[in-house]
Structure formats: structure tokens, C-alpha cells
Amino acid sequence: IKIKESANDGIHANDAIYIRGGVLDITSRGDAIQNENLPIHISGGKITAETSGAKSNGIYSAGPTKISNNPEINIITRGDGAKGIKSRGILSIEGGATDIKTYGAEHIDTGVSPPDSNSATGIKAHDDMEIKGGTLKVESWGSKIKGMSIDGNFEMSAGNLNIRANDDGMKVHGNLLISGGTVNISSERRDGIDCNKDITITGGSVTLTVGQNRQGINCSGKENITPGIVKNSGF
């Protein structure tokens, strides 16, 4: 299925969305794929999604979002306040290859009081996020753009995570736990990992590359990090 130059959303569903196979190629100014309720579950197929509108999303789920098995997902967003993936429920990556590129800046809505600001982000999880497998690659370029922003907890037990961002590579408002997998995070202007609560890293491999006078890990809570797992370097 090809959806080209949609002025609004490419695919919009009132309930759940399940994608198990096939090929989707979507270009839109609104969200490429959006639902209003229940989960989005992608377990197969090849998806190419490109958006160009302010505050648009490659994938927007009003409920949980799961990527499992072996799908191939490529998302490009160009717009202030845009998100590659935005999930209101738990975001779970269990397999497949997901590649997200986000270009933009902060979107400021002056039509409300006080003005509302919304920064572009590769991934925005309004709940918890977990990675249990697969490969996730996120690149975020522009003013105040984070690689990933997670309102809840972040947990990773397997898989590969690669992030390159101008702002924080990963911002976690809850706790962060890494017990396995491979993590590579590069941030040119801010911290590699910025966590508001506790950080526990007991397994896997974590490599953090940050700019001058920035921290690989900025933790506001307790740190429990097994020696030898985390490597820090600078540009």
C-alpha cells in the first residue's frame, strides 16, 4: 500500500492497529500511522513513514505500542515538535529493525496561555518503555531535540540501541534498568543519559560519547552500576 502526499494522517484508526506483514509506504503532513484507542502492534512487514508537519508523528498510539518478531520500520519526521514514535501506553520493542530520523526544533503554540512548548524527539513514551530484543536506531537533529524521552521507567534486557542526538541522548523521568543488550549513545551538546530517579546497570555493554563539559550519565537518584560495563568518551 502506498499513501503519498496525504494532507492529514496517512492511516487513522479509531481502535487497535495490527500490522503482521506486507509493505506500507506513507508520506503525510499529519501522523503517518495513528490510532485513537487500544494498542498498535507491529509484528511483520516493511513500513516506510515520512511526515513533514509540525507536531506530526511517524507512529502515534493512544494506547500501548509493541514491535515484535521481524518487521522493518523506517521513519523520517521533519517538523517542529514532531516525534518518530509517540506512545501514550507502554512502549515495548521485542524484535525487528527500527530506524528513526527526526529533524526539527521546539514548537511553541502562542494561541494558549501560557504558551505551550513541544520539542521534537525521536521517541516519546508517556508511560514505561522496555527493550527485549531487536535493533533500534534513533537520530535526532535540531535545536533541543532529544533522542528518547520517557515519562516512566526504562528497562532493557536484550537487543541493540543506538542513539545520536543534539540534546540528551536519553531522558528518563523514572528509573532506568539495563541488564543486557548493547547501548551506544552519542550527544553533542547535552548528557548521554539523564535520569531523574535511580539507575541500575548490571549487564550488557553501554558506550556513551558526549561533548565537552557534559556527563555520560546524569543521575538525580541512586546509581548501581557494575564496573566495566559503561564506557565514556568525548568528541
Side-chain angles (χ1 to χ4, degrees):
I1 298 175
K2 288 189 177 182
I3 301 172
K4 292 295 185 181
E5 306 302 331
S6 173
N8 295 302
D9 299 335
I11 294 175
H12 188 113
N14 290 327
D15 292 312
I17 294 176
Y18 296 97
I19 300 173
R20 301 184 177 93
V23 178
L24 278 174
D25 187 352
I26 302 170
T27 304
S28 65
R29 288 192 56 80
D31 298 338
I33 299 172
Q34 185 199 104
N35 77 342
E36 297 287 350
N37 194 16
L38 302 176
I40 290 179
H41 185 185
I42 302 172
S43 58
K46 181 176 181 179
I47 299 172
T48 301
E50 185 169 349
T51 71
S52 58
K55 299 174 68 175
S56 62
N57 306 288
I59 296 173
Y60 172 84
S61 175
T65 306
K66 179 186 285 188
I67 298 172
S68 64
N69 295 339
N70 60 351
E72 181 180 335
I73 303 170
N74 292 281
I75 297 172
I76 299 175
T77 62
R78 295 183 175 91
D80 294 348
K83 312 287 191 294
I85 296 177
K86 182 175 180 178
S87 182
R88 293 286 179 183
I90 295 173
L91 173 57
S92 180
I93 309 292
E94 301 180 5
T98 303
D99 189 313
I100 298 170
K101 294 181 174 64
T102 301
Y103 305 90
E106 186 177 31
H107 180 272
I108 299 177
D109 184 357
T110 58
V112 296
S113 181
D116 179 56
S117 63
N118 196 315
S119 295
T121 308
I123 288 178
K124 176 62 179 179
H126 289 273
D127 202 314
D128 297 340
M129 178 175 176
E130 56 186 15
I131 299 178
K132 299 179 179 180
T135 297
L136 174 61
K137 181 179 179 181
V138 179
E139 296 185 21
S140 298
W141 304 114
S143 176
K144 299 183 179 180
I145 296 187
K146 292 177 172 59
M148 303 199 314
S149 179
I150 301 148
D151 289 348
N153 301 318
F154 174 81
E155 183 173 349
M156 180 171 178
S157 58
N160 296 284
L161 173 62
N162 296 278
I163 300 173
R164 295 182 64 193
N166 277 359
D167 205 278
D168 293 330
M170 184 192 304
K171 173 67 178 181
V172 181
H173 293 271
N175 299 309
L176 180 144
L177 171 62
I178 297 174
S179 59
T182 301
V183 178
N184 289 281
I185 298 177
S186 172
S187 173
E188 293 189 358
R189 299 177 183 175
R190 297 297 296 270
D191 303 321
I193 297 174
D194 186 357
C195 182
N196 285 3
K197 293 187 178 180
D198 298 342
I199 289 180
T200 303
I201 301 176
T202 59
S205 172
V206 180
T207 301
L208 306 171
T209 305
V210 296
Q212 190 174 9
N213 300 322
R214 295 299 178 182
Q215 301 181 67
I217 293 177
N218 182 4
C219 177
S220 299
K222 298 177 182 179
E223 290 187 26
N224 176 20
I225 301 175
T226 301
I229 293 176
V230 178
K231 299 178 181 179
N232 289 284
S233 63
F235 286 105

